[in-house]
């Protein structure tokens, strides 16, 4: 028994539509995963946001410490003296200042 020619035509047309729809869905999926604003790009942006948020928090802590140091230097003579001794290598009359080079950071040991 031979298939009906109209049935074959309709089936061929449906297959083309199905193939076109499958191609379109595949293109959308690829774009959603790897496109400019796809999953991979959003994941990288989230990583950058997290890193920048961490940097901002660190800078805020530093600003708080520096603000405290500024308040101390404006109001406490002992803080002014300590700063002058440590950073400016100043001393009172009769004192001897010996400035040592900064110590190198400790070497990291490989734990492998």
């Amino acid at each position: 028994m031979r298939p009906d020619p109209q049935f074959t035509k309709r089936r061929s047309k449906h297959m083309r539509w199905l193939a076109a729809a499958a191609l379109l869905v595949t293109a959308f999926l690829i774009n959603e995963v790897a496109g400019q604003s796809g999953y991979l790009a959003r994941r990288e942006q989230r990583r950058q946001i997290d890193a920048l948020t961490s940097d901002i928090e660190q800078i805020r802590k530093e600003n708080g410490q520096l603000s405290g140091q500024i308040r101390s230097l404006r109001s406490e003579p002992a803080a002014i003296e300590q700063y002058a001794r440590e950073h400016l290598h100043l001393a009172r009359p009769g004192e001897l200042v010996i400035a040592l080079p900064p110590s190198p950071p400790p070497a990291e040991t490989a734990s492998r």
Side-chain angles (χ1 to χ4, degrees), residues 8-51:
T8 307
K9 250 186 189 179
R10 278 185 284 161
R11 186 173 183 195
S12 176
K13 188 176 180 181
H14 286 266
M15 291 302 282
R16 279 184 275 176
W17 276 105
L18 185 61
L23 184 63
L24 188 62
V25 167
T26 302
F28 281 130
L29 286 174
I30 289 172
N31 187 46
E32 179 58 31
V33 171
Q36 280 184 337
S37 61
Y39 171 75
L40 298 175
R42 288 191 307 265
R43 189 172 71 177
E44 176 61 21
Q45 288 172 346
R46 172 52 56 195
R47 188 197 62 76
Q48 289 175 350
I49 288 170
D50 291 344

Side-chain angles (χ1 to χ4, degrees), residues 15-93:
M15 291 302 282
R16 279 184 275 176
W17 276 105
L18 185 61
L23 184 63
L24 188 62
V25 167
T26 302
F28 281 130
L29 286 174
I30 289 172
N31 187 46
E32 179 58 31
V33 171
Q36 280 184 337
S37 61
Y39 171 75
L40 298 175
R42 288 191 307 265
R43 189 172 71 177
E44 176 61 21
Q45 288 172 346
R46 172 52 56 195
R47 188 197 62 76
Q48 289 175 350
I49 288 170
D50 291 344
L52 291 172
T53 301
S54 175
D55 290 349
I56 289 170
E57 187 59 35
Q58 181 63 33
I59 289 171
R60 283 186 177 151
K61 286 180 185 178
E62 258 181 66
N63 282 344
Q65 291 171 348
L66 291 173
S67 294
Q69 187 177 7
I70 288 170
R71 280 192 300 278
S72 294
L73 290 172
R74 285 186 176 163
S75 62
E76 299 174 19
I80 296 169
E81 182 179 351
Q82 179 183 0
Y83 185 86
R85 288 175 177 272
E86 290 177 4
H87 297 283
L88 303 176
H89 306 293
L90 297 177
R92 290 184 176 180

Side-chain angles (χ1 to χ4, degrees), residues 1-5 8:
M1 181 168 165
R2 272 180 106 182
D4 181 20
T8 307

